[in-house]
Amino acid sequence: MTSTDTSPLAQLLDAARGPLGPRIDLDLGHTDGPLGELAQLLSTLNGFTVFNAGIQLFHAGPTGLGPELQRWNTPSTWKDTYAGQADGLFCFAQDLFGRQFAITGNHDIVTFDPETADRTPIGTSLEGWAAWLLADPDVRGAHSFAGAWQDRHGPLDHHQRLIPLRLFTTGGGYDDDNLVAKDATTCMRIRGPFASTIHDLPDGAQVHLMPDQPHTTDAGADGTQIAYAELDVFADYNSFFVQDETVRFDPDDWTMPLINDLIAGDNGVFGVGTARRTTVPVILDVRTTAPDDNFDDWDHVTEAGLRTTTGRIIVSMLNYTPSIPRTTIPPGDYTARVYAKGFHTISDDGRFGDDLYHLILWPGDIHPPRVLKRYPGTLPGG
């Protein structure tokens, strides 16, 4: 590659910032095909960023800035969370949001979507990859967006990418409130289980983000369980509501109780305060009898009540669209107890964590909202 070479890859290199690692003579086991091209490229410029770091090509070797090529492709780094959906990919670069650029079989270059695990062919050479990027740097390389975001928030570390708090595939947007800079490996591992779950599902199918079945001592194995649902609830403003699907109400007066007590309610509708303002795992567990009063495994326990005339329950942030799942139970009045845990896992910015909200309902009186066990600490992030 010479300064007079006007090939797409040469144009990309002219705009690049690098190297990200020291000089290396790289051998990837091939002298031709995309792997041969990649070895030659990294032996010339060992890693770089381009388009205001909207695109990052990994460096090779034990020292350098950002992810290292071979380690990035080790299954235990992040691919193991994709349940086989990332097998056969040799990822060599990524965009601002962690979309991977990968070589398959040393003959094709594809994009790999971290939220869906979908692969999209874009060429058969690095020259083709560079031409594809240069055809639309703002859309394919996040050029303008990367520059504008870093102007507002400061430069990204070479190990960081942006991840949405509410995933793009579940309706999340590109606004500042929904994006956070996070270690690139962590970004991939967060989305792996979700992608492996939805990859082969038809459009419109209901999916769940909850990684593990929670431990409960009396979850209805004796036939006492009426209904059970594992839900992923977008807790905008650090809260969500449990209600009959036909009820409409104004929760403005509930703001302080939801902040202070993580519970509020009136007239057979109740709201739950959460430790994070993002999608959180919620168990809706409806039984014929009350649960026990052992709160040892829980950080915060509250109680309220629910009245349903239709027997169709929604758990959401004032979202009544058909996409919100309905749980069917017998109409009537229910006592509701909310068990919450995992508060010690919440990140300092209050955005990430392994918190869980287990809602147990049983036929009974509608209690005024009350705290049965209070979390003794202050939640991170506020």
Side-chain angles (χ1 to χ4, degrees), residues 84-375:
Q85 299 295 345
D87 291 357
L89 297 174
F90 190 77
C91 302
F92 63 90
Q94 62 183 341
D95 74 4
L96 183 68
F97 304 102
R99 178 176 57 171
Q100 301 296 300
F101 298 98
I103 297 168
T104 62
N106 198 31
H107 51 73
D108 289 317
I109 294 179
V110 301
T111 64
F112 177 77
D113 189 311
E115 291 190 11
T116 65
D118 289 340
R119 305 183 187 193
T120 303
I122 59 173
T124 58
S125 67
L126 290 190
E127 289 289 355
W129 168 69
W132 182 86
L133 288 174
L134 290 168
D136 197 342
D138 284 338
V139 173
R140 297 173 177 178
H143 190 179
S144 296
F145 191 97
W149 194 91
Q150 290 174 97
D151 285 344
R152 294 191 299 272
H153 301 280
L156 285 169
D157 182 86
H158 287 90
H159 282 282
Q160 292 180 320
R161 297 285 89 183
L162 298 185
I163 184 171
L165 298 176
R166 184 180 188 184
L167 299 181
F168 299 134
T169 51
T170 63
Y174 290 83
D175 51 288
D176 279 7
D177 287 345
N178 194 47
L179 292 172
V180 62
K182 202 78 174 172
D183 177 80
T185 300
T186 301
C187 291
M188 298 302 291
R189 295 191 68 85
I190 286 172
R191 292 172 290 193
F194 177 78
S196 62
T197 298
I198 74 167
H199 181 69
D200 294 320
L201 293 180
D203 291 343
Q206 177 66 33
V207 298
H208 302 292
L209 301 177
M210 192 175 300
D212 299 304
Q213 191 74 252
H215 172 72
T216 55
T217 58
D218 59 343
D222 58 357
T224 64
Q225 194 168 75
I226 298 172
Y228 179 92
E230 294 183 0
L231 307 170
D232 306 309
V233 180
F234 182 50
D236 199 6
Y237 300 101
N238 292 86
S239 60
F240 61 83
F241 303 100
V242 185
Q243 63 174 97
D244 185 280
E245 70 170 352
T246 63
V247 173
R248 299 295 182 267
F249 59 99
D250 184 356
D252 284 351
D253 293 338
W254 297 3
T255 301
M256 294 313 299
L258 287 173
I259 292 173
N260 295 328
D261 298 331
L262 304 187
I263 192 72
D266 192 20
N267 294 323
V269 177
F270 69 96
V272 178
T274 63
R276 294 183 296 141
R277 181 184 177 179
T278 183
T279 301
V280 297
V282 176
I283 299 171
L284 179 60
D285 182 357
V286 186
R287 308 179 184 180
T288 61
T289 58
D292 63 42
D293 293 328
N294 182 357
F295 303 155
D296 290 348
D297 294 334
W298 301 94
D299 293 334
H300 191 85
V301 183
T302 57
E303 206 165 82
L306 174 74
R307 173 170 292 132
T308 172
T309 58
T310 68
R312 287 170 57 81
I313 303 305
I314 59 175
V315 182
S316 73
M317 183 59 189
L318 303 180
N319 185 347
Y320 309 113
T321 62
S323 64
I324 298 298
R326 270 65 172 169
T327 301
T328 300
I329 64 176
D333 289 353
Y334 291 82
T335 302
R337 187 174 293 169
V338 183
Y339 299 79
K341 66 179 179 179
F343 288 177
H344 67 285
T345 70
I346 306 301
S347 62
D348 290 341
D349 60 7
R351 295 182 173 184
F352 295 92
D354 295 322
D355 46 334
L356 172 68
Y357 305 86
H358 190 171
L359 283 53
I360 300 180
L361 281 63
W362 65 97
D365 295 334
I366 296 179
H367 292 298
R370 58 182 177 176
V371 178
L372 302 182
K373 178 182 179 179
R374 186 177 294 276
Y375 180 61

